[in-house]
């Protein structure tokens, strides 16, 4: 499978200059390589930060002062001998240390290879390894919190609990099969059905938060729609906190999609401003309108803006109808002007893009529309599409097993096949049983040095 007997090396800090930069070594040769690279002759003390220098190469002079720390196996990030050399964050110096380590026998690490080794050495399961990447990628504090929870093992524990229940049920069913002559059931079919139903319920509880979890992990797209001049671009700019989109009193100003990523209550939202929807003969504008319609179709949320200071126009009515089945918020803008009563089919959020009035209520409404009220409070235990898909497959197998258990005439063997299939999916989530391809796919998305 993957080579783990050699020693890998990588720069663990981001490319570019910084106050500090870290070169990380992992593998059996790590302490030996460190002794070769560093001026300090004696072996590094375990888990002690040691101030030293990088040994001069040939007749060069020493290139940097560093702090080196040795983490002996198995108490290290990877479970192997690890040495971290912290120097000044100069790409030139760090590259020089890297090159010397390679010249002395280390191999340049692949992306995610340190974390892969941690996984292969049983330091972390697959869910926790994936959480490492999510944590590094997190763009909002909420994303970081969800990733950290998974890193700490919240999802791992819940899966282990489900797995233990399935294991117990399978063991008892197998015992019944092994001692057929006794005519004794270690588990009655009715009890098996109830137990499976209760595992399904626990799975459903987990999956019910998956939409929110995925939205938090991957972010969402919200499209600002409405007829020309209702204040879409003004609202967009206000939410984005920058004057990205051009605002003029002339209808038809916005002709292309303008996007900006914003953080709304911890959810990373790609906000899209569109051309106002209307019939137009202008070629560019009508292309803009078409793009806007398309964007609306694929968005997670539509922010439909109407002008609260004017009666609804035909275009407003048409848009209200077109977006009736979408996840949408109807926004009545220009609350700073005298309001006219609008007979809207849903409760609107009143704002003024000009004064900023009502925008915090709008932000709250956006977050709630995307992930639900209570979901915001307790973090979602599941957020990764790979996990969600496997848990759904697990649930499908359990559903077949439950029906088999309920139909009293189905032999236990059949029940067992589906229960084992369900367990296998759980094993795949945590990586007890995962193909090399899947592992490669997961780890190649990591950064180098992690
Ligand atoms: N009084 C008032 N005027 C607004 C407000 N929002 C936008 N406008 C004005 O409405 C006009 C059209 O705004 P714009 O954002 O370009 O609308 P869009 O065509 O829907 O993108 C501009 O003159 C804005 O200054 C608001 O909340 N109150
Ligand atoms: Mg506009």
């Amino acid at each position: 499978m993957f080579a783990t007997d050699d020693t890998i090396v990588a720069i663990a800090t981001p490319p570019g200059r910084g106050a500090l930069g870290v070169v990380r070594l992992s593998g059996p040769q790590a302490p030996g390589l460190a002794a070769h690279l560093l001026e300090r002759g004696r072996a590094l003390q375990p888990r002690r930060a040691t101030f030293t220098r990088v040994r001069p190469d040939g007749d060069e002079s020493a290139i940097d002062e560093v702090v080196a720390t040795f983490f002996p196996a198995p108490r290290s990030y990877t479970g192997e001998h690890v040495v971290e050399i912290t120097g000044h964050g100069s790409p030139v110096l760090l590259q020089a240390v890297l090159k010397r380590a390679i010249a002395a026998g280390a191999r340049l690490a692949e992306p995610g290879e340190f974390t892969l080794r941690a996984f292969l050495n049983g330091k972390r399961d697959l869910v926790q390894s994936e959480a490492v990447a999510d944590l590094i990628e997190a763009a909002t504090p909420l994303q970081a919190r969800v990733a950290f929870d998974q890193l700490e093992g919240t999802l791992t524990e819940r899966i282990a609990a489900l797995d233990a229940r399935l294991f117990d049920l399978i063991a008892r069913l197998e015992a019944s099969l092994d001692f057929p002559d006794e005519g004794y059931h270690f588990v009655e079919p009715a009890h098996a059905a109830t137990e499976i139903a209760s595992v399904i319920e626990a799975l459903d509880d987990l999956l019910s938060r998956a939409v929110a979890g995925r939205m938090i992990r991957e972010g969402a797209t919200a499209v600002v729609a409405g007829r020309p001049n209702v204040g879409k671009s003004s609202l967009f700019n206000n939410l984005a906190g920058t004057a990205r989109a051009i605002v003029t009193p002339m209808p038809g100003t916005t002709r292309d999609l303008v996007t900006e990523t914003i953080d709304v209550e911890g959810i990373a939202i790609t906000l899209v401003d569109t051309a106002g929807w209307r019939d137009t003969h202008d070629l560019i504008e009508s292309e803009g309108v078409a793009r806007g319609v398309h964007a609306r179709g694929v968005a997670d949320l539509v922010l439909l803006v109407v002008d609260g200071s004017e009666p609804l126009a035909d275009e407003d009515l048409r848009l209200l109808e077109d977006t009736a089945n979408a996840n949408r918020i109807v926004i009545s803008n220009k609350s700073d002007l005298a309001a006219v009563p609008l007979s809207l089919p849903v409760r609107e959020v009143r704002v003024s893009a000009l004064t900023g009035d009502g925008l915090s209520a709008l932000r709250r409404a956006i977050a709630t529309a995307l992930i639900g009220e209570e979901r915001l409070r307790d973090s979602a235990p599941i957020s990764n599409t790979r996990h969600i898909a496997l848990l759904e497959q697990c649930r499908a197998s359990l559903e077949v097993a439950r029906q088999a258990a309920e139909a009293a005439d189905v032999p236990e063997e059949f029940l067992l096949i589906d229960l084992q299939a369900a367990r296998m999916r759980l094993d795949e989530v945590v990586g007890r049983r995962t193909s090399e391809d899947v592992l490669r796919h997961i780890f190649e998305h990591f950064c180098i040095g992690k």
Side-chain angles (χ1 to χ4, degrees):
M1 198 164 180
F2 299 98
T4 54
D5 48 2
D6 54 355
T7 298
I8 52 174
V9 64
I11 299 173
T13 35
R17 280 158 226 289
L20 299 175
V22 176
V23 173
R24 179 145 73 164
L25 289 151
S26 178
Q29 303 307 321
L33 286 166
H36 173 80
L37 289 171
L38 304 174
E39 244 179 17
R40 181 193 158 88
R42 279 179 295 134
L44 293 165
Q45 292 279 305
R47 282 176 292 282
R48 276 273 163 82
T50 304
F51 179 67
T52 176
R53 287 167 161 214
V54 176
R55 196 191 287 279
D57 192 16
D59 29 70
E60 279 175 36
S61 51
I63 56 168
D64 194 13
E65 290 175 335
V66 296
V67 170
T69 317
F70 171 39
F71 303 90
R75 287 176 57 196
S76 70
Y77 182 76
T78 58
E80 308 170 333
H81 286 332
V82 168
V83 175
E84 287 180 6
I85 301 172
T86 305
H88 293 108
S90 147
V92 179
L93 296 173
L94 295 171
Q95 286 291 341
V97 176
L98 185 71
K99 278 203 188 116
R100 284 186 201 181
I102 292 169
R107 170 171 65 76
L108 184 64
E110 304 280 334
E113 198 170 0
F114 290 90
T115 308
L116 172 66
R117 287 190 171 192
F119 165 70
L120 295 173
N121 291 323
K123 298 291 285 189
R124 300 215 145 92
D125 71 7
L126 199 51
V127 167
Q128 292 170 313
S129 303
E130 289 169 297
V132 170
D134 284 359
L135 191 57
I136 293 172
E137 291 286 316
T140 75
L142 186 58
Q143 284 177 327
R145 199 176 85 202
V146 169
F148 187 64
D149 278 354
Q150 289 174 9
L151 182 61
E152 291 269 272
T154 44
L155 181 56
T156 300
E157 272 166 32
R158 295 190 61 169
I159 290 189
L162 293 175
D163 188 58
R165 292 172 70 180
L166 290 181
F167 176 77
D168 180 64
L169 192 57
I170 289 170
R172 283 191 283 158
L173 282 166
E174 279 176 346
S176 306
L177 284 174
D178 287 346
F179 304 101
D181 298 340
E182 271 103 283
Y184 175 76
H185 281 289
F186 285 83
V187 51
E188 294 298 329
H191 175 74
T194 326
E195 178 62 11
I196 297 169
S198 136
V199 176
I200 292 179
E201 210 174 293
L203 259 180
D204 281 344
D205 180 49
L206 206 52
L207 284 167
S208 70
R209 292 197 256 168
V211 177
R214 197 180 62 86
M215 208 70 95
I216 293 168
R217 179 173 183 265
E218 293 173 9
T221 308
V223 165
V224 187
R227 70 176 162 85
N229 251 18
V230 291
K232 295 180 298 302
S233 297
S234 306
L235 184 66
F236 173 93
N237 287 343
N238 207 320
L239 284 171
T242 73
R244 269 286 269 123
I246 300 170
V247 172
T248 74
M250 282 185 305
T253 305
T254 308
R255 285 145 169 249
D256 207 346
L257 302 183
V258 182
T259 65
E260 192 73 35
T261 302
I262 60 171
D263 174 349
V264 176
E265 315 242 338
I267 313 167
I269 296 181
T270 306
L271 192 63
V272 186
D273 186 23
T274 61
W277 188 85
R278 64 168 174 176
D279 271 330
T280 170
H281 296 294
D282 181 296
L283 208 61
I284 303 173
E285 192 188 352
S286 57
E287 174 60 23
V289 170
R291 287 181 188 200
V293 170
H294 176 75
R296 225 163 65 204
V298 298
D300 298 298
L301 178 66
V302 175
L303 303 175
L304 181 58
V305 186
V306 299
D307 186 337
S309 69
E310 289 176 4
L312 292 177
D314 285 348
E315 283 115 328
D316 293 320
L317 296 173
R318 170 78 191 275
L319 279 162
L320 280 163
E321 202 181 298
D322 280 359
T323 57
N325 295 321
N327 185 16
R328 73 167 177 195
I329 297 174
V330 177
I331 300 162
S332 162
N333 189 30
K334 311 197 184 180
S335 64
D336 54 293
L337 302 177
V340 300
L342 305 174
S343 52
L344 289 164
V346 288
R347 231 182 80 201
E348 80 278 20
V349 179
R350 300 203 53 200
V351 304
S352 166
L354 200 66
T355 66
D357 188 47
L359 281 178
S360 60
L362 176 60
R363 281 202 186 83
R364 187 88 219 169
I366 291 173
T368 308
L370 285 171
I371 67 174
E373 186 82 56
E374 83 274 23
R375 312 271 186 265
L376 268 175
R377 259 177 275 118
D378 45 75
S379 81
I382 177 165
S383 59
N384 182 314
T385 27
R386 189 184 74 85
H387 307 160
I388 296 167
L390 287 168
L391 290 187
E392 276 166 356
Q393 289 165 21
C394 172
R395 191 195 185 285
S397 293
L398 288 177
E399 191 54 48
V400 177
R402 187 180 63 82
Q403 281 166 18
E406 275 171 1
D409 55 341
V410 178
E412 275 145 345
E413 281 95 335
F414 285 101
L415 202 65
L416 272 171
I417 291 173
D418 290 310
L419 288 176
Q420 267 147 0
R423 258 197 98 201
M424 228 135 72
R425 298 291 92 83
L426 297 183
D427 282 353
E428 279 179 59
V429 176
V430 294
R432 253 197 306 275
R433 195 191 308 251
T434 306
S435 74
E436 192 173 332
D437 283 351
V438 172
L439 289 182
R440 267 188 212 294
H441 177 77
I442 291 172
F443 286 98
E444 75 192 10
H445 287 97
F446 275 64
C447 40
I448 294 214
K450 191 67 234 183

